[in-house]
Amino acid sequence: MEQGEAASPPVAEEKGGEEEEDDLGYRLFPERNKKSQSFLMRSLFTFHNRCQLMLRMTLDTNPYAQLLLQAMKQSGCTVFNDRHFSCENCDGCVSGGFDSATSQIVLCQNNIRHQSHMNRVVTHELIHAFDHCRAHVDWFKNVKHLACSEIRAANLSGDCTLINEIARFKFGLKGHHQTCVRDRAIRSILAVRKVSKETAEKAVDEVFDACFNDLEPFGRIPHSKTDAKRAYKDFQNRDRYNANL
């Protein structure tokens, strides 16, 4: 996995189980196993301060994140900044992850360098959090469940927009978006689980059609911020309509 890409989810069942810790992706998020630092100590680090500022900007202004936050709240899983997000140093190959054991989104402060990247990582991980809220996702024992959420995150977060793909020097015409979603879902699985590439590919292919076409809560594939704004407006109007029934 290239540096700066999002991987999710990193964690899982309690230590002492039959699975090794590394099988659950904790090796990528070393601060998950450390004692919390005091606020004063954490505030001394520029990475942490920058991460917090970019996170606040994303939550306040990004339509992808705003839609997901509202959908989470409507589903009974209200997200709080101080409780559900944690800026930490991570392995050099990942930008973020969803820790289902603590219901926290980990943001890799040493790897997220600009606002557009923060927007994409937060959106990607909020999709995992939304899936965790609305469904009984077995992140650790059922690779198909993980594959489905990774497909949805790649499809709906903006990971595979034309601009991002051009920045990766990847070009294509017919079916390129689907190819990007499939490839990135496989990469994310391989980053956080010790499974073969064949196993990851098989899991993604078996659930691809159903999960690619599951567009909740956007209702459409948001290929751009403009699409995301329209989706957010539609979601708000849907709430108003339902309230009048």
Side-chain angles (χ1 to χ4, degrees), residues 1-6 92-95 168 170 184 187:
M1 190 171 222
E2 298 173 0
Q3 182 172 337
E5 303 303 332
C93 71
V94 295
S95 296
R168 300 178 188 118
K170 293 185 177 180
R184 295 184 68 76
R187 287 162 63 93

Side-chain angles (χ1 to χ4, degrees), residues 19-243:
E19 284 190 291
E20 294 182 4
E21 183 180 338
D22 276 0
D23 288 342
L24 305 179
Y26 265 121
R27 67 195 181 281
L28 305 176
F29 303 88
E31 291 196 14
R32 293 277 85 191
N33 293 324
K34 293 182 179 179
K35 292 182 179 180
S36 298
Q37 294 176 315
S38 68
F39 174 79
L40 178 61
M41 288 297 294
R42 292 172 70 92
S43 66
L44 293 176
F45 294 95
T46 302
F47 278 167
H48 187 75
N49 290 340
R50 183 179 63 184
C51 177
Q52 290 286 349
L53 289 172
M54 288 194 295
L55 170 61
R56 174 48 57 194
M57 180 67 72
T58 296
L59 299 181
D60 288 346
T61 66
N62 184 261
Y64 291 86
Q66 290 175 323
L67 191 159
L68 285 160
L69 290 172
Q70 187 166 333
M72 292 277 288
K73 183 176 182 179
Q74 183 178 313
S75 299
C77 301
T78 301
V79 176
F80 298 98
N81 184 4
D82 294 340
R83 163 66 182 85
H84 295 107
F85 293 93
S86 179
C87 290
E88 303 176 6
N89 289 323
C90 308
D91 182 273
C93 71
V94 295
S95 296
F98 174 63
D99 185 341
S100 63
T102 60
S103 295
Q104 276 191 322
I105 288 173
V106 183
L107 300 171
C108 298
Q109 60 194 19
N110 55 319
N111 293 333
I112 300 175
R113 306 292 172 80
H114 49 82
Q115 188 64 50
S116 61
H117 191 190
M118 175 65 79
N119 293 343
R120 196 167 72 250
V121 173
V122 170
T123 301
H124 184 112
E125 303 308 333
L126 277 174
I127 292 169
H128 291 315
F130 176 75
D131 288 346
H132 185 69
C133 175
R134 69 169 180 159
H136 298 290
V137 182
D138 187 347
W139 297 108
F140 317 116
K141 296 181 180 179
N142 192 327
V143 70
K144 289 183 183 180
H145 286 194
L146 174 59
C148 187
S149 193
E150 292 294 356
I151 290 166
R152 282 177 30 78
N155 189 29
L156 301 174
S157 68
D159 285 351
C160 289
T161 61
L162 179 61
I163 292 176
N164 286 330
E165 282 293 270
I166 290 175
R168 300 178 188 118
F169 299 101
K170 293 185 177 180
F171 308 93
L173 296 174
K174 186 176 181 180
H176 182 73
H177 180 75
Q178 289 89 330
T179 299
C180 172
V181 169
R182 179 182 182 275
D183 290 347
R184 295 184 68 76
I186 292 169
R187 287 162 63 93
S188 291
I189 293 171
L190 292 175
V192 298
R193 293 292 180 270
K194 285 187 176 179
V195 298
S196 67
K197 185 177 181 180
E198 291 73 18
T199 297
E201 289 175 342
K202 185 173 185 291
V204 168
D205 289 341
E206 287 183 354
V207 301
F208 189 86
D209 287 344
C211 299
F212 182 84
N213 290 309
D214 180 0
L215 305 179
E216 286 297 314
F218 290 89
R220 68 180 77 193
I221 298 175
H223 291 290
S224 66
K225 187 176 286 189
T226 299
D227 285 344
K229 287 180 180 178
R230 290 171 180 163
Y232 184 31
K233 184 176 181 180
D234 289 345
F235 186 87
Q236 291 175 310
N237 290 336
R238 180 172 63 181
D239 288 346
R240 294 192 187 100
Y241 175 76
N242 290 338

